Amino acid sequence: MKPSLRAAVVAAVLAIPAALVPTAASAANTLSMRGADVSSLQRTLDLGGKYYNASGNAADPYDILKSAGVNYARLRIWNNPASGYNNKAKVLQQARAIKAKGLKLLIDFHYSDTWADPGKQFPPAAWASHSLPQLQNDVYNYTYDVCTALKAQGTTPDSVQVGNEINVGMLWPRGQVTNNNFAPLASLLKQGYNATKACSSATQVWVHVADADSMANMRWFYDGIKAQNVPWDVTALSYYCMWHGTLANLYNVITDARTRYGKPVVIAETAYQFTTADADNEPNSIPGTVLCDNIPATWAGQAQQFTWVQNTARNAGAVGVFYWEPTWYAIKGNGWDPADINGTGDGWDNMAVFDWNGRVNPHVRWTP
């Protein structure tokens, strides 16, 4: 890092509210899970995409991430996506590459054929007409099948997410939380937990929501599943500053979640833009002009924001931070829509930590 940039970053860190700056008392806490969601990476490699380290030399993308501090990789799994990617076969393939690099593995079950997030939780087509009891069996059997297949090839997942950003439930409408009734969702989460533990008792089960913006919403959800006696090992939150508020609020939500439920907390997703430009014809999911904390959309700015999120999480007692899709740079054929992967573009091209030629941002670091 250039001295001028180092000075600028130090000055910026000193400008963070004191509550967010790690103190000597909290320095003992470390981020033991330093993760990267690399779900789109296999498609990029299959299309001939290349990755380059900070020196501009072609290198294995996993090695580049490891050299930046990554020790955990996250893979989403869709049941039967039209793209043929992010399915069981591709996850098994990518899991072998991940474990061969000595990285830990997190499997993110969407329980869908496509994206599942707070605004949509569509069941897989094969399960669409199933009753709640049938869906309970589906969740158990599918989770167990994927986990045991991974285990059989020597890539047992270290962690499993039972659902992705399930703010108001999953497998709608059967598993949707309506009128504060968590019982249907709880019955599904329990099956995911039980299947994972039947496969591997050491695998951690995460429950993941995108509620880092609101302590009230976070409490509503986890209080709701706790009242239904849902077991889980890790409380997982998404935090994107442009959607989820200030770092001060993030600190408070993490601290409350950790102390209220007595479980480790992880930021399962975060990211920040490095440019205001767009590499393809697909509009950016987050425009480069939507900034946080007056941090510019530059390589240095992206690194600064990610460092601040890590510092905040660490100081609040979290145990991990995962960057979402750092390797998903714009390459034709790796579109966002599994039903039209060749015809759609990459809305994340300004949020990856690799530029449009595949060179890594030299300033981004995952730090304990």
Side-chain angles (χ1 to χ4, degrees), residues 335-358:
W336 70 271
D337 185 358
D340 188 15
I341 195 169
N342 288 303
T344 53
D346 175 5
W348 212 248
D349 54 56
N350 68 323
M351 304 289 287
V353 302
F354 291 82
D355 68 14
W356 302 340
N357 296 311

Side-chain angles (χ1 to χ4, degrees), residues 44-197:
T44 300
L45 294 173
D46 289 348
L47 290 168
K50 302 295 184 183
Y51 290 87
Y52 301 88
N53 61 25
S55 300
N57 298 318
D60 185 289
Y62 294 113
D63 290 336
I64 297 172
L65 291 172
K66 284 181 66 176
S67 69
V70 169
N71 68 356
Y72 228 115
R74 181 188 194 230
L75 296 177
R76 66 175 166 269
I77 185 165
W78 291 328
N79 289 45
N80 188 27
S83 63
Y85 279 80
N86 304 117
N87 59 12
K88 178 183 172 182
K90 290 295 185 182
V91 165
L92 287 168
Q93 175 190 357
Q94 203 169 347
R96 292 192 294 270
I98 287 166
K99 286 286 192 173
K101 291 295 182 179
L103 296 167
K104 291 190 174 182
L105 176 64
L106 165 61
I107 301 297
D108 175 12
F109 285 93
H110 283 226
Y111 300 117
S112 182
D113 294 332
T114 187
W115 300 99
D117 57 43
K120 54 186 180 296
Q121 295 279 337
F122 307 127
W127 302 358
S129 64
H130 289 190
S131 65
L132 182 62
Q134 286 176 311
L135 288 174
Q136 292 166 9
N137 289 330
D138 292 334
V139 168
Y140 185 97
N141 293 335
Y142 183 68
T143 306
Y144 184 79
D145 176 67
V146 172
C147 183
T148 54
L150 286 162
K151 182 179 180 180
Q153 68 172 13
T155 61
T156 303
D158 299 278
S159 297
V160 159
Q161 270 185 232
V162 181
N164 185 75
E165 295 188 329
I166 55 172
N167 294 30
V168 289
M170 65 187 191
L171 292 167
W172 296 351
R174 301 285 190 265
Q176 189 168 8
V177 180
T178 56
N179 299 318
N180 297 312
N181 180 13
F182 280 85
L185 172 63
S187 71
L188 298 170
L189 294 176
K190 289 174 183 177
Q191 292 302 311
Y193 180 94
N194 291 341
T196 302
K197 295 299 184 178

Side-chain angles (χ1 to χ4, degrees), residues 20-333:
L20 303 184
V21 179
T23 63
S26 65
N29 187 61
T30 61
L31 298 178
S32 58
M33 301 178 186
R34 302 180 297 280
D37 188 308
V38 291
S39 297
S40 68
L41 176 56
Q42 190 60 54
R43 174 70 174 175
T44 300
L45 294 173
D46 289 348
L47 290 168
K50 302 295 184 183
Y51 290 87
Y52 301 88
N53 61 25
S55 300
N57 298 318
D60 185 289
Y62 294 113
D63 290 336
I64 297 172
L65 291 172
K66 284 181 66 176
S67 69
V70 169
N71 68 356
Y72 228 115
R74 181 188 194 230
L75 296 177
R76 66 175 166 269
I77 185 165
W78 291 328
N79 289 45
N80 188 27
S83 63
Y85 279 80
N86 304 117
N87 59 12
K88 178 183 172 182
K90 290 295 185 182
V91 165
L92 287 168
Q93 175 190 357
Q94 203 169 347
R96 292 192 294 270
I98 287 166
K99 286 286 192 173
K101 291 295 182 179
L103 296 167
K104 291 190 174 182
L105 176 64
L106 165 61
I107 301 297
D108 175 12
F109 285 93
H110 283 226
Y111 300 117
S112 182
D113 294 332
T114 187
W115 300 99
D117 57 43
K120 54 186 180 296
Q121 295 279 337
F122 307 127
W127 302 358
S129 64
H130 289 190
S131 65
L132 182 62
Q134 286 176 311
L135 288 174
Q136 292 166 9
N137 289 330
D138 292 334
V139 168
Y140 185 97
N141 293 335
Y142 183 68
T143 306
Y144 184 79
D145 176 67
V146 172
C147 183
T148 54
L150 286 162
K151 182 179 180 180
Q153 68 172 13
T155 61
T156 303
D158 299 278
S159 297
V160 159
Q161 270 185 232
V162 181
N164 185 75
E165 295 188 329
I166 55 172
N167 294 30
V168 289
M170 65 187 191
L171 292 167
W172 296 351
R174 301 285 190 265
Q176 189 168 8
V177 180
T178 56
N179 299 318
N180 297 312
N181 180 13
F182 280 85
L185 172 63
S187 71
L188 298 170
L189 294 176
K190 289 174 183 177
Q191 292 302 311
Y193 180 94
N194 291 341
T196 302
K197 295 299 184 178
C199 167
S200 168
S201 61
T203 298
Q204 292 184 316
V205 176
W206 299 17
V207 175
H208 174 215
V209 297
D211 282 337
D213 61 322
S214 169
M215 190 179 298
N217 291 344
M218 181 276 294
R219 286 183 174 184
W220 174 81
F221 180 88
Y222 289 104
D223 282 1
I225 64 170
K226 182 180 179 182
Q228 294 289 329
N229 298 311
V230 172
W232 79 95
D233 300 319
V234 174
T235 301
L237 305 169
S238 293
Y239 175 74
Y240 297 99
C241 61
M242 58 290 299
W243 294 328
H244 297 133
T246 66
L247 291 168
N249 184 69
L250 174 64
Y251 174 91
N252 291 333
V253 172
I254 292 172
T255 301
D256 189 71
R258 177 175 55 81
T259 56
R260 190 175 182 86
Y261 306 109
K263 302 177 189 300
V265 176
V266 170
I267 301 301
E269 296 184 20
T270 194
Y272 198 69
Q273 56 268 52
F274 72 87
T275 180
T276 60
D278 182 12
D280 57 21
N281 294 323
E282 192 71 43
N284 290 336
S285 299
I286 300 174
T289 54
V290 179
L291 305 177
C292 304
D293 305 308
N294 295 316
I295 296 175
T298 61
W299 259 0
Q302 181 184 63
Q304 179 180 323
Q305 175 66 21
F306 185 49
T307 294
W308 284 13
V309 171
Q310 291 179 89
N311 287 350
T312 302
R314 184 186 301 106
N315 200 37
V319 298
V321 174
F322 282 62
Y323 197 103
W324 194 76
E325 289 277 20
T327 58
W328 195 11
Y329 75 89
I331 182 168
K332 187 174 178 57

